Amino acid sequence: ALFGILQVNIQSFVWGAGDPLGYFLALPSALDAATHLAVGTLVAGKFLSIFAFLFGFGAALQFKALRRRAAVAAPAASVVQALAAYRRRLRFLLAVGIAHGLLLYYGDILTFYALCGFLLAPLLAQRPARLLRLALLMWALAAAIAVGAAAVVEAARDAMEQPDRIPPEVLEAFGTYAAGTYLEQLPQRAADFFNVLMSMLLLALPQVLGLFLLGMLAARLGWLARPQRYRRLWRAATVLGVLALPVAAAGAWLTFSSVVQEPGLPNAAGYAVQFFGTAVACLYVAAFVRLRGRPAVAAVIRWLAPAGRMPLTNYLLQSVAMGALLSGWGLGWGESVSRAQLALLALAIVLVQIAVSRAWIVRFGQGPIEALWRRATYGAQKPR
């Protein structure tokens, strides 16, 4: 999930809070156009959805472990103590997310997830049937917001000025991130961080809560642990993901066309179509779950697992790497590299992270930020 998110983040790292995949200063080459369309179709929104699903999945597992731990000392108060410990986890995540958004990358997702987590916490002890009803409600709200926001923006299309030009505030942000010093970037990053966070709270809250609840259901009912009991569910997820592929491709084409021809006018219809295209994530998860017993897939999972055991550390290090390579305070490559080169650069960062994570996990057992997170949750006591 994190490696797919990097493929999206690196495309817009120096552009500020505008289009999620950035803009083109000139007409793109065929290779850059193909890269933009491939990322928009196969990656954008899909791996972020998997990340949110896993956040809910992890929350359910963590709450179960915290409750079991608390029951040893005070069985009657196990739920209260477990929720208190989980909220300590969220407060740590919120602090890290705010620091990350202000100091490293305006597109931080941790702050938003932590805030959503506080809404999720009271539901951790609820029965699966209620979680399912709430998940369906959240998805209905998310779909209504996507369609409604698209209608509002399309209705305001005539009021847009110079739609065929990149907005001046976007060009200003590009100059700041691609050529400015670290101190010069701080005000711009703070403004972009606030704008991204507010837009997510206004537009993405039901969608992310729905994914959180879906992940909680998966953990509570054993969708991943015992997939043989849910063959119909995983077949349905596969079919849904395949059907969503052309929808995702249509959304990617609409947004690509607007970025090239009318960068000053967001293609709201394209974003709405892409929202429904994120269901391609179902195909990815179902493929891993249904094929994980095969030797080749099992080898891939073992290869990725060490990096997956330190996701918070790797997420933060991705932002450090993007800043060092693309930003004005680093090598400044953001001014000149192409979209295809950015995709290859993201792949190179991923390969380094996989190798370093494997060596780190063998030596220490958990990532450094995860160790701090664990200490913030449990205090001085080390959990068994």
Side-chain angles (χ1 to χ4, degrees), residues 85-138:
Y86 185 69
R87 289 189 176 101
R88 288 196 296 271
R89 287 181 61 84
L90 292 176
R91 286 194 290 271
F92 179 88
L93 187 67
L94 180 62
V96 172
I98 292 173
H100 176 235
L102 294 176
L103 301 178
L104 290 174
Y105 177 44
Y106 63 86
D108 166 76
I109 197 66
L110 303 177
T111 305
F112 181 55
Y113 277 15
L115 294 174
C116 291
F118 284 110
L119 298 176
L120 185 73
L123 304 175
L124 287 169
Q126 296 294 322
R127 297 175 64 86
R130 187 180 182 201
L131 297 180
L132 178 59
R133 289 194 297 269
L134 288 172
L136 293 174
L137 174 62
M138 289 299 104

